[in-house]
C-alpha cells in the first residue's frame, strides 16, 4: 500500500541505513559550512505546544510538509507491540469529514503524493509536491492526525493487510535475521521487538485501543511540523494558524525506558531457513544519538564498511572474496545504539568471515586509522547534509530527525563540528570503547546450522591482527599494487600502460597489436624457443595484450615459481628484442585477424560504422589493425613504439595472489631498480573526436541478411554518464532486453538484435544492431526509434532497471574471480584514471542510477539529428 511503513518496504541494507537515518545520521560527501542552511530555518512554537520548523526553499516550486510524532514502537508495552504501526496505516483511512479517497487522492490530484513511516522512536506523516499542495496538505495532515475516525470495518480490513505484511516479511531472510539479532542484542530495551509488532496483538486491537494510544501520544507538544517549501513565511503561518490552532486537548503520557546492559559474552544466533544464500550480521554495543560519541561511530562505520572502498569491503570482498556483500553502519537512535555489520556470503565461509571481521576490528583498535582515510570519511559523511538540502523532502527529514532525537535542529552544527574536528585519536578511543568482542552478537541465517556457540566463542577468543596489502610507487614512477589472496598457491600479474587503438593513425593501424604480440616472443637474452620452453617448464604464461585504450603484459604462475617467473617477466619488460625474423613470422598471424573479420558481415559493418561515427579519428580505426600496415611494419617501428609508450611513470603494476606483501614489495623494488624513466617525457593524449560528417550510409554487399547499425556519439569512460550508459545498454541488450523482446520475440524481425557501447576516454559510441532480411529493413529501423522514443518519454520500467543493474553487477562479479582478471581489472582502471579500486565501488555506482538519469541521457544524446545510420547488405 502507498503509505505502508517505509522501514519494512526496503531490502535489508536499505532498511538498516534507513533505521540509522531515523535514529542518527549517515552522511556522505564534501565537508561544507552548514550554518547558512541552519540560519535560514524559522522555528516557532504555537500556543498549543506544537513546534513548527520552516525553511524557505527557493530551488524550485515545491514543498514538503512533514508532521512527526515522537512516538514509535519503543513506546509500546509488550501487549501493545504493533499498535503504533497499525495507527500509521489507519491514519489514512478517513476522518469524520474526509473519506479515504479524499486524503491521498486529493494530494495526488494536485501533482503531489503522501506517505508515512514508523520507526522505533517516532512516526512521520508527510506530503510532497508542487507548492500548490501546501494548504491542502496542512488541512489533510491536521485532520487525519488529530481527528482520525478509525472506522471499525476499515480497521478489520487493515489488520489483515498488516498481517499479510508480516507474512511477506517472513519470506525475507534479511528481515528475519535482523529481527532475531535485534532480539538477541537488546536484553531489556524495547528495540528488541519488531516495529510491526506481533500477529496476535494486531488481531486483538480494537478501535478504542487506537484512540487511547493516539490520545496519549498524539499531543501537539510531542510533535514537530516541518515545512520546507517555496512559500512565504507570512502565508505559511497564516495557513498553519488556520489548521493547527484548534487542536484537541490531550495529556502526554510519560514513558520510562529501562537501562540496557547488552550481552556479557559472545552470543550466537542461528536461524535455519531453506535459503539459497547465506546471511550474516554482527552487532556490538553502540551509542545514542544524544551521546557525544555518536558522530565518531558514524566515521568508524564509514571507514570500516561505508562503501566499496572501505576496509571491510576491500579485505573480505575484493582481497579474500569471502563475502558477496558487506556493509557497516552505526545505529544511533534516541535510545541505546548498536554498531552493525551485515554480510551475504556462502555459509561455508562464515567461520573465516567472523575471524577476518574480528581481526579488522582489533586492528583498528590497536593501530587506529590513517589521516587520509579519516579525511575521506569526513568528506563522504558531511556531504549528505549538503545533498539533502537540494530537495525539500531531504531537508525536511534532516531537520525533523535532529529535532526529535537531539531536541533541536540547531545541533546539525554540533554534528558538523564533531565530524570536522575528529582526530585519529578520537576514532581509536571510540573503537577501543565500543569494539569489545566479548559483547559481540553474531546472527546467521542459512539452510543448516554449521557450528555452535562454543565454537563461535573459540573463534572470537583466538582472533589476532594480520597485516594488510599495500599500494606504493617506485623511484621510476611506476605505481605498484599488491593484493594478497592466499586461498590458492597462484599469482596473477598485470602491467598496463595508456596505449592501444586510440594512439594509432590510419598509417599505423595495427601497431599495438603487433607490439603486444611480439613483445613476449623473444628477448635479448632468450630466443623465442628458449623463452617458451622456460615458461612452459614452470607452468607460467606471459602474454602481451592490446585493446582500444590500453596495452601491456599479463602473467600467471604458481607462487612456488615466483622467482623464476618474475625474472623472466623482468627480462621481457626491459630487454625485448623485436627481432626482424620474428616480425616476419608474426605477419601472417596478424593479417589473419583481418581476413577472419572480412568473412563476417557483422564485423565489416561494425568497422565501417565506427569509421563513420568517428571520421578521421583513431576511435574509428579497426581494432584488428590494417593489412597494409602488417605487410610493411619493421622491427624499428616496434622499438620506436616501445620506447615511446613503455614508460614506468605512465604504468601500473598489479600483483594478486599468494604472497606476503612485505616480501613482495622488497622483491619488486629490487627487481625493477634498473628500469629507468625516460630522460624526456613525451606527453601522450588523443585529440577530441569530431562530429560525424555523414548521418547515413549504405554499403552494397551480397549477403543473406542486411546489417543495420544505428548509433550515437556519447560521453566517454571518464564521464559521469558512463555508468548510466551501461545500465541503459544492459536494459536494451541481452535475451531479456527490450530490443530482443520487442523486435525479435514480438515482431520476429531478426535472430540477432542487441545494443552495445564502445568506450574511449573522450567519447563512446552507443550502437543499436540488428541483422535481418532486406525487406524488414524499414520496420527494424522504425522499431529502434520507437523504443528510444518510448524510453525518452516513459523511461525504463523499474523491473528493467533492476534487471539491468543485476546484469552489470553479476557480470562484474563473474569476471573478477581469477587472480589475473582482478590484476588486469585494477591495472587497466588505474591507467584509465578510473582508480585501481573502481570495481569495488562499481556496484554502488550502478545502484545509484535512477530513472531520471536514463531519461536525461536519451533526451540529451540520442537525438535523431545526432544519429548515424549505417546499412550493409543488398
Amino acid at each position: 500500500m502507498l503509505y505502508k511503513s517505509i522501514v519494512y518496504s526496503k531490502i535489508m541494507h536499505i532498511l538498516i541505513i534507513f533505521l540509522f537515518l531515523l535514529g542518527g545520521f549517515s552522511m556522505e560527501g564534501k565537508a561544507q559550512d552548514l550554518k547558512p542552511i541552519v540560519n535560514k530555518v524559522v522555528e516557532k512554537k504555537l500556543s498549543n505546544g506544537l513546534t513548527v520548523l520552516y525553511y524557505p526553499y527557493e530551488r524550485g516550486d515545491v514543498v514538503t510538509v512533514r508532521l512527526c510524532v515522537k512516538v514509535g514502537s519503543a513506546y509500546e508495552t509488550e501487549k501493545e507491540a504493533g499498535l503504533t504501526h497499525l495507527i500509521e496505516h489507519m491514519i489514512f483511512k478517513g476522518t469524520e469529514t474526509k473519506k479515504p479517497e479524499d486524503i491521498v487522492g486529493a494530494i495526488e490530484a494536485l501533482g503531489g503524493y503522501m506517505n508515512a513511516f514508523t520507526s522505533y522512536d517516532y512516526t512521520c506523516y508527510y506530503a510532497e509536491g508542487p507548492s500548490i499542495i501546501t494548504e491542502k496538505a496542512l488541512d489533510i495532515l491536521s485532520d487525519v492526525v488529530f481527528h482520525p475516525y478509525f472506522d471499525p470495518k476499515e480497521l478489520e480490513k487493515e489488520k489483515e493487510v498488516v498481517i499479510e505484511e508480516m507474512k511477506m516479511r517472513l519470506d525475507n531472510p534479511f528481515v528475519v535475521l535482523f529481527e532475531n539479532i535485534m532480539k538477541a542484542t537488546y536484553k531489556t530495551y524495547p528495540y528488541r521487538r519488531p516495529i510491526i509488532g506481533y500477529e496476535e496483538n494486531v488481531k486483538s486491537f480494537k478501535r478504542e485501543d487506537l484512540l487511547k494510544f493516539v490520545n496519549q501520544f498524539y499531543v501537539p507538544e510531542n510533535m514537530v511540523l516541518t515545512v520546507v517549501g517555496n512559500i512565504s513565511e507570512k502565508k505559511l503561518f497564516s495557513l498553519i494558524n488556520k489548521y493547527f490552532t484548534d487542536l484537541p486537548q490531550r495529556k502526554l503520557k510519560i514513558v520510562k525506558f529501562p537501562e540496557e546492559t547488552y550481552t556479557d559474552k559472545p552470543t550466537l544466533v542461528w536461524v535455519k531457513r531453506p535459503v539459497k544464500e547465506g546471511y550474516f550480521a554482527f552487532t556490538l554495543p553502540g551509542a545514542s544519538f544524544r551521546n557525544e560519541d555518536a558522530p565518531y561511530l558514524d566515521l568508524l562505520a564509514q571507514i570500516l564498511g561505508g562503501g566499496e572502498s572501505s576496509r571491510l569491503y576491500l579485505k573480505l570482498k575484493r582481497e579474500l572474496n569471502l563475502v558477496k556483500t558487506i556493509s557497516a553502519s552505526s545505529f544511533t537512535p534516541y535510545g541505546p545504539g548498536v554498531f552493525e555489520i551485515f554480510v551475504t556470503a556462502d555459509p561455508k565461509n562464515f567461520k573465516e568471515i567472523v575471524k577476518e571481521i574480528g581481526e579488522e576490528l582489533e586492528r583498528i583498535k590497536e593501530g587506529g586509522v590513517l589521516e587520509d582515510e579519516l579525511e575521506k570519511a569526513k568528506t563522504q559523511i558531511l556531504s549528505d547534509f549538503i545533498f539533502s538540502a537540494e530537495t525539500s523532502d531531504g531537508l525536511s527529514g534532516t531537520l525533523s530527525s535532529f529535532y526529535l532525537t537531539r531536541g533541536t535542529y540547531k545541533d546539525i552544527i554540533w554534528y558538523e563540528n564533531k565530524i570536522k574536528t575528529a582526530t585519529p585519536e578520537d576514532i581509536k578511543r571510540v573503537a577501543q570503547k565500543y569494539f569489545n568482542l566479548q559483547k559481540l552478537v553474531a546472527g546467521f541465517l542459512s539452510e543448516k546450522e554449521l557450528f555452535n556457540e562454543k565454537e563461535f566463542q573459540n573463534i572470537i577468543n583466538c582472533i589476532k591482527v594480520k597485516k594488510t596489502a599495500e599500494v606504493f610507487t617506485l623511484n621510476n614512477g611506476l605505481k605498484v599494487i599488491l593484493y594478497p589472496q592466499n586461498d590458492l598457491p597462484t599469482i596473477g600479474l598485470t602491467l598496463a600502460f595508456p596505449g592501444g587503438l586510440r594512439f594509432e593513425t590510419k598509417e599505423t593501424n595495427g601497431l599495438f597489436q603487433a607490439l603486444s604480440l611480439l613483445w613476449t616472443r623473444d628477448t635479448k637474452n632468450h630466443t623465442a624457443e628458449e623463452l617458451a620452453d622456460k615458461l612452459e617448464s614452470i607452468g607460467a604464461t606471459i602474454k602481451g595484450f592490446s585493446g582500444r585504450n590500453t596495452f601491456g603484459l599479463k602473467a600467471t604462475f604458481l607462487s612456488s615459481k615466483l622467482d623464476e617467473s618474475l625474472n623472466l617477466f623482468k627480462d621481457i619488460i626491459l630487454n625485448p628484442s623485436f627481432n626482424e625474423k620474428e616480425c616476419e613470422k608474426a605477419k601472417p598471424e596478424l593479417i589473419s585477424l583481418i581476413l577472419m573479420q572480412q568473412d563476417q558481415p557483422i564485423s565489416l559493418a561494425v568497422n565501417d560504422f565506427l569509421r563513420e561515427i568517428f571520421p578521421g579519428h583513431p576511435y574509428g580505426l579497426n581494432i584488428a589493425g590494417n593489412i597494409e600496415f602488417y605487410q610493411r611494419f619493421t622491427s624499428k617501428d616496434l622499438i620506436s613504439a616501445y620506447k615511446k609508450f613503455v614508460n614506468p611513470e605512465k604504468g601500473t603494476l598489479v600483483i594478486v595472489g599468494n604472497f606476503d606483501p612485505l616480501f613482495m614489495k622488497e622483491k619488486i623494488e629490487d627487481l625493477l631498480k634498473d628500469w629507468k624513466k625516460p630522460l624526456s617525457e613525451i606527453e601522450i593524449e588523443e585529440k577530441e573526436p569530431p562530429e560525424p560528417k555523414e548521418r547515413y550510409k549504405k554499403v552494397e554487399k551480397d549477403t543473406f541478411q542486411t546489417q543495420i547499425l544505428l548509433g550515437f556519439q556519447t560521453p566517454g569512460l571518464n564521464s559521469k554518464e558512463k555508468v548510466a550508459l551501461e545500465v541503459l545498454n544492459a536494459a536494451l541488450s541481452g535475451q531479456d532486453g527490450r530490443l530482443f523482446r520487442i523486435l525479435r520475440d514480438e515482431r520476429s524481425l531478426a535472430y540477432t538484435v542487441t545494443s552495445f557501447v564502445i568506450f574511449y576516454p573522450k567519447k563512446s559510441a552507443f550502437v543499436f544492431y540488428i541483422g535481418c532480411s532486406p525487406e524488414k529493413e524499414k520496420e527494424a529501423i522504425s522499431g529502434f526509434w520507437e523504443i528510444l522514443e518510448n524510453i525518452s518519454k516513459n523511461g525504463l520500467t523499474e523491473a528493467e532497471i533492476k534487471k539491468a543493474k543485476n546484469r552489470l553487477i553479476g557480470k562484474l562479479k563473474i569476471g573478477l574471480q581469477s587472480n589475473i582478471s582482478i590484476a588486469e581489472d585494477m591495472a587497466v582502471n588505474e591507467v584509465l584514471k578510473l582508480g585501481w579500486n573502481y570495481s569495488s565501488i562499481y556496484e554502488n555506482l550502478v545502484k545509484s542510477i535512477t530513472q531520471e538519469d536514463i531519461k536525461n541521457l536519451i533526451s540529451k544524446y540520442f537525438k535523431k539529428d545526432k544519429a548515424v545510420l549505417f546499412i550493409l547488405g543488398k
Side-chain angles (χ1 to χ4, degrees):
M1 60 194 298
L2 175 65
Y3 41 88
K4 69 188 291 186
S5 169
I6 293 177
V7 173
Y8 287 98
S9 66
K10 308 291 184 183
I11 61 175
M12 190 59 191
H13 70 281
I14 297 298
L15 180 147
I16 296 307
I17 291 171
F18 184 76
L19 288 177
F20 177 47
L21 286 173
L22 292 179
F25 271 88
S26 173
M27 291 163 283
E28 303 174 351
K30 188 176 181 181
Q32 297 286 345
D33 185 3
L34 300 170
K35 288 181 182 177
I37 296 174
V38 173
N39 290 341
K40 288 182 70 175
V41 178
V42 175
E43 179 179 4
K44 289 187 180 181
K45 188 178 284 290
L46 305 186
S47 58
N48 55 26
L50 177 67
T51 296
V52 179
L53 302 179
Y54 159 66
Y55 182 92
Y57 185 80
E58 299 169 351
R59 290 176 59 85
D61 187 26
V62 295
V63 69
T64 296
V65 181
R66 185 183 297 257
L67 182 58
C68 294
V69 192
K70 193 176 180 181
V71 62
S73 64
Y75 290 75
E76 303 163 341
T77 65
E78 193 73 18
K79 291 185 178 180
E80 291 173 332
L83 187 56
T84 311
H85 176 256
L86 180 61
I87 289 171
E88 176 225 308
H89 276 239
M90 286 299 300
I91 284 291
F92 291 91
K93 290 297 183 178
T95 69
E96 293 181 359
T97 60
K98 292 181 178 66
K99 296 178 182 179
E101 58 268 25
D102 297 328
I103 298 172
V104 175
I107 296 296
E108 290 184 343
L110 295 174
Y113 71 91
M114 294 194 76
N115 213 325
F117 61 83
T118 307
S119 79
Y120 291 112
D121 297 321
Y122 50 88
T123 308
C124 289
Y125 305 90
Y126 60 95
E128 181 181 9
S131 299
I132 57 171
I133 74 163
T134 304
E135 182 169 4
K136 182 62 70 175
L138 291 169
D139 174 21
I140 290 173
L141 285 173
S142 66
D143 198 13
V144 299
V145 171
F146 289 101
H147 305 284
Y149 182 63
F150 297 145
D151 180 270
K153 291 182 180 179
E154 290 289 344
L155 177 59
E156 291 306 309
K157 289 192 292 184
E158 201 60 28
K159 287 188 326 189
E160 288 300 315
V161 171
V162 171
I163 290 168
E164 287 301 318
E165 187 178 354
M166 289 178 174
K167 292 176 180 177
M168 175 189 70
R169 289 169 44 257
L170 290 175
D171 287 328
N172 187 323
F174 281 117
V175 175
V176 173
L177 177 60
F178 175 71
E179 291 186 355
N180 275 274
I181 202 168
M182 289 294 279
K183 185 177 181 180
T185 298
Y186 288 100
K187 299 301 181 184
T188 59
Y189 208 82
Y191 293 161
R192 69 193 312 271
R193 294 194 300 262
I195 293 173
I196 202 168
Y198 308 120
E199 183 175 342
E200 59 271 23
N201 284 8
V202 172
K203 285 181 176 179
S204 70
F205 293 142
K206 306 297 182 186
R207 179 175 185 265
E208 293 73 23
D209 299 320
L210 277 66
L211 289 170
K212 178 182 176 182
F213 197 85
V214 165
N215 287 330
Q216 290 174 333
F217 295 104
Y218 280 50
V219 179
E221 66 187 80
N222 199 41
M223 296 182 178
V224 60
L225 174 65
T226 306
V227 181
V228 177
N230 193 342
I231 182 173
S232 71
E233 181 181 343
K234 181 179 180 181
K235 181 177 180 180
L236 174 64
F237 280 96
S238 174
L239 293 172
I240 289 173
N241 289 330
K242 178 179 178 180
Y243 293 107
F244 284 88
T245 298
D246 187 19
L247 300 177
Q249 297 294 312
R250 297 166 179 165
K251 185 177 180 180
L252 178 64
K253 179 182 178 180
I254 304 301
V255 176
K256 185 177 181 180
F257 295 101
E259 292 293 324
E260 181 56 56
T261 59
Y262 303 100
T263 186
D264 58 359
K265 62 180 180 180
T267 302
L268 176 68
V269 178
W270 208 298
V271 182
K272 290 188 285 186
R273 284 291 178 93
V275 291
K276 303 295 184 184
E277 186 59 275
Y279 304 88
F280 168 27
F282 255 6
T283 65
L284 287 159
S288 163
F289 196 56
R290 295 174 292 155
N291 190 294
E292 294 297 301
D293 288 336
Y296 301 146
L297 285 167
D298 289 350
L299 284 165
L300 265 173
Q302 186 67 44
I303 291 166
L304 278 166
E308 294 186 359
S309 63
S310 62
R311 286 192 178 194
L312 290 175
Y313 188 91
L314 290 176
K315 181 69 174 178
L316 279 88
K317 171 59 181 170
R318 299 294 297 139
E319 181 178 340
L320 300 177
N321 203 25
L322 289 173
V323 304
K324 298 172 185 178
T325 62
I326 186 166
S327 63
S329 62
S330 179
F331 173 47
T332 51
Y334 184 81
V338 173
F339 194 91
E340 304 157 324
I341 297 170
F342 287 89
V343 173
T344 59
D346 190 323
K348 70 180 182 183
N349 294 330
F350 280 169
K351 281 188 177 181
E352 187 68 14
I353 292 167
V354 171
K355 182 171 73 72
E356 292 294 339
I357 290 177
E359 286 177 356
E360 196 59 52
L361 296 178
E362 289 298 310
R363 186 178 292 112
I364 215 165
K365 285 169 61 178
E366 181 180 307
V369 299
L370 299 174
E371 191 72 47
D372 286 350
E373 62 181 338
L374 176 57
E375 289 305 311
K376 183 179 74 171
K378 290 179 180 182
T379 300
Q380 290 170 321
I381 285 177
L382 284 174
S383 71
D384 192 60
F385 278 120
I386 303 301
F387 294 140
S388 71
E390 290 184 342
T391 66
S392 60
D393 177 60
L395 185 53
S396 70
T398 300
L399 296 172
S400 300
S401 295
F402 265 88
Y403 180 85
L404 292 162
T405 52
R406 293 281 302 180
T408 172
Y409 70 90
K410 294 179 181 178
D411 273 358
I412 289 174
I413 302 302
W414 161 81
Y415 189 92
E416 178 191 29
N417 290 336
K418 293 286 286 186
I419 294 292
K420 281 184 174 180
T421 60
T423 66
E425 290 72 27
D426 292 325
I427 305 305
K428 185 176 181 178
R429 173 187 60 80
V430 170
Q432 291 173 341
K433 178 179 178 180
Y434 292 95
F435 290 175
N436 179 358
L437 297 187
Q438 293 303 309
K439 288 185 171 292
L440 184 146
V441 177
F444 301 92
L445 188 148
S446 62
E447 194 169 14
K448 59 183 179 180
E449 187 172 340
L450 301 178
F451 49 88
N452 57 35
E453 189 167 82
K454 185 176 180 180
E455 291 177 277
F456 167 68
Q457 290 172 350
N458 286 338
I459 297 170
I460 296 300
N461 293 331
C462 293
I463 283 174
K464 297 178 182 178
V465 177
K466 292 195 303 186
K467 186 175 172 59
T468 57
E470 284 195 67
V471 179
F472 58 96
T473 303
L474 299 182
N475 291 333
N476 60 14
L478 180 72
K479 175 168 280 189
V480 182
I481 300 165
L482 305 181
Y483 209 81
Q485 297 240 80
N486 294 314
D487 55 335
L488 291 171
T490 61
I491 292 176
L493 181 154
T494 298
L495 174 64
F497 302 90
L501 187 66
R502 63 187 171 121
F503 295 125
E504 295 177 357
T505 66
K506 184 178 179 181
E507 291 72 27
T508 63
N509 187 200
L511 173 63
F512 283 91
Q513 290 287 358
L515 177 64
S516 61
L517 178 65
L518 285 152
W519 194 356
T520 61
R521 280 287 163 92
D522 61 353
T523 71
K524 294 173 183 176
N525 299 313
H526 298 97
T527 65
E529 291 77 11
E530 289 171 345
L531 193 59
D533 181 69
K534 286 183 175 292
L535 287 168
E536 289 170 7
S537 67
I538 59 174
T541 60
I542 302 177
K543 297 291 182 183
F545 70 92
S546 177
R548 296 182 182 276
N549 302 302
T550 60
F551 80 108
L553 297 172
K554 297 190 291 185
T556 58
F557 47 88
L558 298 174
S559 54
S560 61
K561 304 296 182 182
L562 176 66
D563 287 340
E564 302 97 310
S565 300
L566 286 181
N567 285 331
L568 291 171
F569 191 76
K570 172 189 175 180
D571 191 36
I572 290 171
I573 296 174
L574 303 183
N575 303 305
S577 173
F578 301 119
N579 186 287
E580 197 67 59
K581 289 182 179 179
E582 289 299 330
C583 291
E584 290 302 313
K585 291 179 182 179
K587 287 182 178 182
E589 219 175 316
L590 293 163
I591 291 171
S592 177
L593 297 174
I594 311 295
L595 299 179
M596 286 190 289
Q597 269 192 348
Q598 292 176 352
D599 291 334
Q600 298 290 331
I602 184 173
S603 298
L604 286 175
V606 170
N607 287 335
D608 287 347
F609 172 82
L610 290 174
R611 196 158 49 242
E612 295 301 318
I613 202 167
F614 296 122
H617 193 274
Y619 290 5
L621 297 175
N622 186 352
I623 186 63
N626 179 280
I627 289 180
E628 286 74 25
F629 173 79
Y630 288 150
Q631 288 173 335
R632 61 177 168 76
F633 82 88
T634 66
S635 172
K636 290 182 179 179
D637 296 316
L638 302 187
I639 292 171
S640 174
Y642 169 85
K643 289 179 178 179
K644 182 177 180 180
F645 291 94
V646 182
N647 178 353
E649 285 192 316
K650 300 293 184 181
T652 297
L653 173 65
V654 179
I655 306 175
V656 179
N658 181 225
F659 58 83
D660 173 61
L662 183 60
F663 170 80
M664 184 63 80
K665 181 179 180 181
E666 294 174 350
K667 185 77 176 174
I668 293 300
E669 286 175 339
D670 181 67
L671 190 78
L672 300 179
K673 63 185 178 183
D674 296 327
W675 187 10
K676 307 298 183 184
K677 57 185 177 183
L679 295 176
S680 58
E681 184 180 330
I682 302 172
E683 192 60 37
I684 305 169
E685 187 173 1
E686 72 271 37
K687 295 179 180 179
E688 190 81 12
E691 288 290 317
K693 295 178 180 178
E694 297 181 23
R695 297 293 174 179
Y696 171 77
K697 186 170 184 179
K698 185 165 187 176
V699 176
E700 294 290 330
K701 187 174 178 63
D702 190 17
T703 59
F704 292 98
Q705 280 193 318
T706 295
Q707 312 294 315
I708 303 173
L709 294 98
L710 176 69
F712 309 82
Q713 275 194 11
T714 47
L717 57 82
N718 296 116
S719 70
K720 62 182 180 180
E721 294 98 340
K722 172 186 178 284
V723 180
L725 283 167
E726 291 174 297
V727 172
L728 174 61
N729 181 58
L732 289 171
S733 62
Q735 293 188 22
D736 195 42
R738 190 178 288 203
L739 290 171
F740 193 97
R741 284 186 284 107
I742 294 176
L743 301 185
R744 172 176 157 153
D745 286 352
E746 293 179 14
R747 303 183 186 178
S748 304
L749 292 178
Y751 177 79
T752 302
V753 56
T754 189
S755 65
F756 54 92
V757 193
I758 296 177
F759 280 110
Y760 288 100
K762 295 184 180 297
K763 289 284 179 69
S764 65
F766 195 104
V767 187
F768 294 77
Y769 166 80
I770 190 168
C772 63
S773 298
E775 66 272 13
K776 297 177 180 178
E777 176 183 316
K778 289 185 178 180
E779 188 178 356
I781 296 169
S782 296
F784 284 153
W785 284 115
E786 179 183 325
I787 289 169
L788 269 177
E789 288 166 2
N790 183 276
I791 298 173
S792 178
K793 181 180 179 182
N794 304 312
L796 298 168
T797 66
E798 290 301 320
E800 283 178 314
I801 292 177
K802 183 178 180 180
K803 286 179 182 178
K805 291 179 177 182
N806 288 340
R807 282 185 66 194
L808 289 172
I809 295 167
K811 182 180 179 182
L812 177 70
K813 291 179 178 180
I814 291 169
L816 294 179
Q817 297 182 71
S818 66
N819 288 339
I820 188 59
S821 64
I822 295 170
E824 183 177 6
D825 179 76
M826 288 183 175
V828 168
N829 284 336
E830 180 65 20
V831 167
L832 293 176
K833 300 180 181 178
L834 294 170
W836 65 267
N837 61 341
Y838 178 74
S839 291
S840 69
I841 64 171
Y842 184 75
E843 184 171 344
N844 280 349
L845 293 175
V846 170
K847 288 179 178 177
S848 71
I849 299 302
T850 65
Q851 181 76 263
E852 285 304 307
D853 293 330
I854 302 298
K855 292 173 72 174
N856 290 340
L857 194 69
I858 291 176
S859 63
K860 188 174 182 180
Y861 298 105
F862 292 69
K863 298 177 180 178
K864 281 194 174 182
D865 62 347
K866 296 290 185 180
V868 173
L869 177 62
F870 180 87
I871 301 171
L872 183 145
K874 293 181 181 178

